[in-house]
Amino acid sequence: MAIVGQFAWVSRLTSGVPLGAGLAREDLTLPPKPPSGRWTKLKGLAGRHRCSFAEVVSLERAKKLAHITIIERFVAVVRNKNASPTWSDVRAALLHFDRAGLLGLVQDLYTASKDNQAFLHARLALGHDHLEPFKASISNWICPDVMKNQPISVSKAKKAIADYKKAIGRPDGMAELSIFYCEEAFSFLESCSLEDESYFAALIRMYEGSLEFVSNLPPAERATYLERLDKLRSRARNIGWGVQDELNSLWYAVALDEQQSE
C-alpha cells in the first residue's frame, strides 16, 4: 500500500493535477494508523496529507481521461490542418486585411506569375492588346517549334482560352482566341506531318466553338470573323483526316454566311 500511495502522490505532482482536486480537504484525512503501520508521507507539503487506495484509483482514472482528451484534441487539430482550404477560409482571412494589406497581397500575386498578370490586365482592360499573352500561350502549345523539341499540349492551349474567359470573357475576345487557335493549328499541320487523332479532333471542336462564339455576336461584328473561318475551310483540303468535310458540315449547319447577307 505504501508503494502505491507514493506513486500516486508523485504522479499528481509531475502531471500538473492539483492536489486534492475534486475532493474535500477532510476526505484526505485517513482513519487512525492501521495495524500494518505502513503509511506514505510526502515531506514538504503543508498538512502532510495522506493518500488512500480509493484516491489512487480516482487519480489514475482522471489521468487516463485527461490523456484521452489530449489525444482527441491533437487529432482534431491535425485533421483541421490537413483539410484543404476553401474560398470561405480565404475570405475569412481577408477580412482581417486593411487596404494596404490587400494591395500588398495583390501585388505579390501579380509578380508571382505571368498568368496572374495576364488575368489582371484583361480584367482591368489594361494595355493596347490584353489578348496578346493568351495568344502567345496558345501559339506556344498548339504550334510549337519542333526543331527545338518543344512539346505539343492541346490542354494547355485550351487552358489559355479558359483563363481569358475567367478573367473577363468578352464575346469578341472568345471568338478571336478560338479562331486564332484554329489558325495556329493549321499553320502547324501545314508545316509538318502529324499523326495524332486527338489533335485533329480538338481542332474540329474548336472550329465548332468558334462558329458558336461568332453567332452570338451582333451581325455587324461578324464579317471579319466569318472571312477567317471561311478561309480555314479552304486550307483544310490539304490536311486530310476528313477535317475539311467536318468543317464544311459545321459551317453549313450554322449558315452564318446566309444570315450575314440578309
Side-chain angles (χ1 to χ4, degrees):
M1 178 65 71
I3 296 176
V4 173
Q6 185 176 3
F7 173 79
W9 280 105
V10 173
S11 297
R12 294 173 69 186
L13 286 175
T14 57
S15 63
V17 177
L19 295 176
L23 298 174
R25 184 178 182 86
E26 56 271 16
D27 292 337
L28 299 179
T29 303
L30 298 179
K33 184 176 180 181
S36 62
R38 301 293 300 275
W39 287 91
T40 302
K41 298 181 180 180
L42 184 64
K43 296 181 180 181
L45 293 178
R48 298 191 178 186
H49 299 301
R50 298 171 179 176
C51 174
S52 69
F53 178 76
E55 184 178 285
V56 171
V57 174
S58 176
L59 290 173
E60 288 300 318
R61 184 178 301 170
K63 285 175 60 180
K64 290 180 180 180
L65 291 175
H67 182 66
I68 293 173
T69 301
I70 292 173
I71 292 177
E72 290 176 344
R73 290 178 180 176
F74 175 77
V75 171
V77 171
V78 171
R79 286 177 179 172
N80 185 54
K81 288 184 177 181
N82 290 338
S84 298
T86 64
W87 166 244
S88 296
D89 300 319
V90 175
R91 182 177 181 278
L94 290 177
L95 293 177
H96 299 287
F97 281 65
D98 57 11
R99 185 175 183 275
L102 286 174
L103 286 175
L105 177 61
V106 174
Q107 182 181 15
D108 291 339
L109 290 173
Y110 181 85
T111 57
S113 74
K114 291 184 178 180
D115 289 342
N116 291 347
Q117 294 175 20
F119 179 96
L120 289 172
H121 292 166
R123 173 64 63 85
L124 302 175
L126 302 176
H128 67 282
D129 184 7
H130 57 263
L131 292 179
E132 191 279 329
F134 299 99
K135 286 184 174 181
S137 181
I138 292 172
S139 182
N140 181 65
W141 293 113
I142 208 67
C143 185
D145 188 343
V146 293
M147 301 302 295
K148 296 181 180 180
N149 294 322
Q150 294 178 347
I152 301 171
S153 178
V154 170
S155 61
K156 291 182 179 179
K158 292 168 67 176
K159 181 180 180 298
I161 300 177
D163 288 344
Y164 172 78
K165 184 177 182 180
K166 292 177 182 177
I168 188 169
R170 289 173 52 92
D172 56 341
M174 296 296 295
E176 175 64 32
L177 291 180
S178 59
I179 295 175
F180 179 80
Y181 175 107
C182 295
E183 292 170 338
E184 288 296 285
F186 270 95
S187 296
F188 182 73
L189 293 172
E190 290 167 348
S191 64
C192 64
S193 177
L194 181 67
E195 301 293 329
D196 187 344
E197 184 177 357
S198 62
Y199 188 96
F200 292 100
L203 171 58
I204 293 170
R205 288 194 298 271
M206 188 61 67
Y207 187 88
E208 181 180 15
S210 301
L211 288 170
E212 182 178 351
F213 291 133
V214 174
S215 66
N216 290 328
L217 294 175
E221 300 179 16
R222 296 175 184 172
T224 302
Y225 298 115
L226 288 175
E227 182 180 354
R228 292 165 64 187
L229 287 169
D230 195 19
K231 287 182 178 179
L232 288 174
R233 288 194 303 136
S234 300
R235 294 172 67 180
R237 69 167 59 98
N238 301 319
I239 300 301
W241 285 79
V243 173
Q244 186 178 38
D245 292 338
E246 291 291 338
L247 299 192
N248 285 335
S249 177
L250 293 170
W251 173 271
Y252 290 117
V254 178
L256 287 176
D257 53 344
E258 297 180 4
Q259 298 176 27
Q260 187 71 14
S261 61
E262 294 179 357

